Amino acid sequence: MTTDHPMTNNQSREFVLVVDDNPTNLSLLRQVLKEAGFQVRLAEDGKSAIEQVERALPILILLDVQMPVMDGFETCTRLKDNPKTRDIPVIFMTALSDISNKLKGLSLGAVDYITKPFEQQEVLARVMVHWRMHKLTQKLQHLTETLEEQVAERTASLQQAQIRLVQQEKLSTLGELVAGVAHEMNNPISCLVNNIPEAKEHISTLLQALALYQSEVKQPSALLQQSLEDLDLEFVAEDLPNLLGSMHLSTDRIKEISLALRTFSRIDNTSKIPFDLHQGLDSTLLILQHRLKALGKRPAIQVIKQYGVLPLVECYPGQINQVFMNLFANAIDALEEANQQLGIEENRENPNCITITTSLKDQQMVEIHIADSGIGMSEDIRSRIFDHSFTTKGIGKGTGLGLAIAHQIVVEKHQGHIDVYSQLGRGTTFVLTLPIHGQFG
């Protein structure tokens, strides 16, 4: 069967509306069209035709020109003025053969003319032409809608691919950079750590030798005596162990930073591994320590840790650490923006605070709340915060991908959830929910 004939592709909703005040014409046209496979509805004047069209839209209207109550020209004008009916093809039927009437009808939006008295084959041929055009228009509309859907899906797919590429590139570049720095730091740190105890012993030996020398030499020369007083050996002997102790504490601190860098930049395997989320949080905060200190009008940012007892979580540690980094960086930005809007005294009265709360949920999930006391956000911004390329920062201050990447890591890579709660002037809280046992690893 072919699909270009109404008999083979008839739908109950598709019909031709015939409008004529002559019952004989209505009967004849109905018979011709029904034999050709069309469903037909009839109207005896323009007013009833418009009422029928308002209830159901025909695929084609055969419209008589000369009718009582409302003639064909006025009926056509009303149909074309209505956005819902303006695209329905109208074929005028008339015994008026002068060119002016035909031009008037065509100018009102009619697509064709049928001259009375009817020739059945002509009527059917003209109706078939416009029926096929209707079908072609339907197909084109469907193809257009399908193409628009495909374009939208493709665009979304490309955007997701862009986020993944940016995420992978950032993780790779940052991981290599931080791992390289940690590796380069390792040798000099090890040298200092190993040599400070030896230096302590050597200095202790020298101080003992000096004390022994002083006890043996009872009468030093005037020059030696003056030199010893100028050097203030007693102060040196007392202060030098303190200096070495401070150096030892500093090397321990550098070791902690180096360990935090290695923890933060650890390269993820192809499968998820058990990871201590608290270790990830702490290492990320240590790297951001410089941003937590007082800056200009902004006082130091206090970090409050309310850690619960958590099991190891199966995840990609490097990716989870990147999520922590993005959320902490956004919290610090929000606090800095809030402080810029306040005076120095107001800043002192409104302490900057980031609160981290972790807990076990339903024995299957863990929750991490990261809350700041910053400026908060409007509902419009909150609803778009995870959209790609959406950012409230100025030009050159961010790509807008940070939170979109965080959302993708948590939701797609770890089958978790990330939610945000915020009110203007009342701060913002991000809530991460992660399964303890990773899936699809």
Side-chain angles (χ1 to χ4, degrees):
M1 284 189 176
T2 177
T3 58
D4 63 351
H5 193 282
M7 288 291 287
T8 61
N9 195 21
N10 204 1
Q11 298 181 1
S12 59
R13 291 178 298 177
E14 292 189 348
F15 64 94
V16 175
L17 177 63
V18 180
V19 188
D20 198 312
D21 63 330
N22 187 319
T24 302
N25 290 339
L26 289 176
S27 177
L28 175 63
L29 291 170
R30 181 177 184 178
Q31 180 180 352
V32 170
L33 294 173
K34 275 188 168 293
E35 288 178 356
F38 290 99
Q39 292 197 31
V40 182
R41 295 185 186 181
L42 306 176
E44 295 182 350
D45 56 58
K47 183 178 179 181
S48 64
I50 289 176
E51 291 174 353
Q52 285 203 48
V53 170
E54 288 176 350
R55 292 193 295 269
L57 298 178
I59 60 171
L60 180 67
I61 299 175
L62 297 180
L63 181 60
D64 187 21
V65 171
Q66 294 181 305
M67 294 183 296
V69 184
M70 183 186 299
D71 68 15
F73 291 144
E74 183 179 352
T75 303
C76 183
T77 299
R78 294 196 180 188
L79 289 170
K80 296 304 176 182
D81 286 342
N82 187 341
K84 290 179 60 178
T85 60
R86 66 172 53 150
D87 294 327
I88 301 172
V90 175
I91 299 178
F92 275 124
M93 303 182 296
T94 181
L96 303 174
S97 59
D98 60 287
I99 190 66
S100 61
N101 278 288
K102 290 185 177 181
L103 289 175
K104 181 178 180 181
L106 293 172
S107 68
L108 293 174
V111 297
D112 207 347
Y113 258 95
I114 296 175
T115 304
K116 296 180 180 180
F118 301 122
E119 287 289 340
Q120 295 185 17
Q121 294 302 317
E122 179 188 5
V123 171
L124 187 58
R126 292 182 183 274
V127 169
M128 287 297 296
V129 166
H130 293 291
W131 178 83
R132 289 191 180 99
M133 290 181 65
H134 165 74
K135 285 299 178 184
L136 179 59
T137 301
Q138 280 188 325
K139 288 181 180 179
L140 288 174
Q141 288 176 342
H142 176 70
L143 287 173
T144 300
E145 291 171 359
T146 302
L147 182 59
E148 288 175 350
E149 290 176 2
Q150 290 176 345
V151 169
E153 291 173 0
R154 184 61 176 164
T155 300
S157 176
L158 289 172
Q159 289 167 348
Q160 291 298 316
Q162 179 197 22
I163 291 175
R164 282 192 291 271
L165 286 173
V166 172
Q167 173 201 340
Q168 292 169 359
E169 184 64 25
K170 287 178 69 176
L171 277 175
S172 176
T173 303
L174 181 62
E176 290 176 5
L177 176 62
V178 174
V181 171
H183 177 74
E184 291 299 321
M185 288 173 60
N186 191 56
N187 287 338
I189 292 172
S190 298
C191 178
L192 290 171
V193 169
N194 294 330
N195 287 330
I196 284 178
E198 294 291 331
K200 278 185 175 181
E201 291 184 13
H202 293 333
I203 290 171
S204 178
T205 300
L206 288 174
L207 291 175
Q208 289 176 13
L210 181 59
L212 181 60
Y213 174 79
Q214 287 178 315
S215 66
E216 291 291 333
V217 180
K218 301 298 184 181
Q219 296 294 328
S221 67
L223 178 61
L224 178 57
Q225 184 66 35
Q226 184 62 48
S227 297
L228 292 175
E229 290 177 3
D230 292 342
L231 292 172
D232 197 359
L233 288 181
E234 289 185 7
F235 174 76
V236 171
E238 182 181 344
D239 191 52
L240 194 52
N242 294 333
L243 290 177
L244 290 172
S246 296
M247 292 170 65
H248 191 272
L249 290 175
S250 296
T251 56
D252 286 343
R253 176 67 173 166
I254 296 172
K255 282 175 61 180
E256 290 177 6
I257 295 173
S258 178
L259 178 61
L261 290 173
R262 290 199 297 272
T263 300
F264 180 81
S265 65
R266 61 191 301 171
I267 299 174
D268 294 327
N269 298 322
T270 55
S271 60
K272 298 171 183 174
I273 60 174
F275 181 59
D276 183 349
L277 294 180
H278 292 156
Q279 188 183 72
L281 288 164
D282 290 342
S283 66
T284 306
L285 286 170
L286 190 58
I287 292 171
L288 288 171
Q289 189 66 39
H290 67 288
R291 293 202 63 193
L292 300 173
K293 297 177 181 178
L295 177 66
K297 293 197 308 179
R298 194 210 73 193
I301 298 173
Q302 181 184 8
V303 177
I304 301 173
K305 299 178 182 179
Q306 299 174 339
Y307 289 174
V309 178
L310 299 184
L312 297 180
V313 173
E314 293 180 7
C315 65
Y316 300 107
Q319 295 183 17
I320 292 298
N321 285 339
Q322 186 184 6
V323 173
F324 294 155
M325 177 68 77
N326 286 336
L327 295 184
F328 286 140
N330 273 276
I332 294 170
D333 289 342
L335 290 168
E336 289 181 346
E337 187 173 349
N339 290 160
Q340 288 174 0
Q341 300 175 9
L342 302 175
I344 295 177
E345 291 302 320
E346 290 177 297
N347 284 334
R348 289 174 181 170
E349 295 172 2
N350 298 276
N352 295 311
C353 184
I354 296 176
T355 303
I356 310 166
T357 306
T358 64
S359 60
L360 187 61
K361 179 183 179 183
D362 300 332
Q363 304 300 316
Q364 299 294 325
M365 311 284 283
V366 297
E367 272 192 356
I368 303 168
H369 294 239
I370 298 176
D372 66 67
S373 58
I375 59 172
M377 62 185 82
S378 66
E379 177 58 26
D380 177 59
I381 292 177
R382 190 205 66 80
S383 66
R384 295 186 290 159
I385 200 71
F386 297 118
D387 292 352
H388 64 278
S389 297
F390 175 77
T391 179
T392 58
K393 298 180 176 64
I395 296 174
K397 294 185 178 180
T399 63
L401 288 174
L403 291 177
I405 289 174
H407 184 274
Q408 186 181 72
I409 289 173
V410 172
V411 176
E412 295 184 20
K413 298 292 186 179
H414 292 84
Q415 295 76 52
H417 304 283
I418 179 168
D419 300 295
V420 58
Y421 305 93
S422 185
Q423 284 184 299
L424 277 175
R426 308 246 348 233
T428 299
T429 300
F430 284 91
V431 180
L432 304 182
T433 307
L434 296 170
I436 296 173
H437 302 291
Q439 303 174 9
F440 314 111

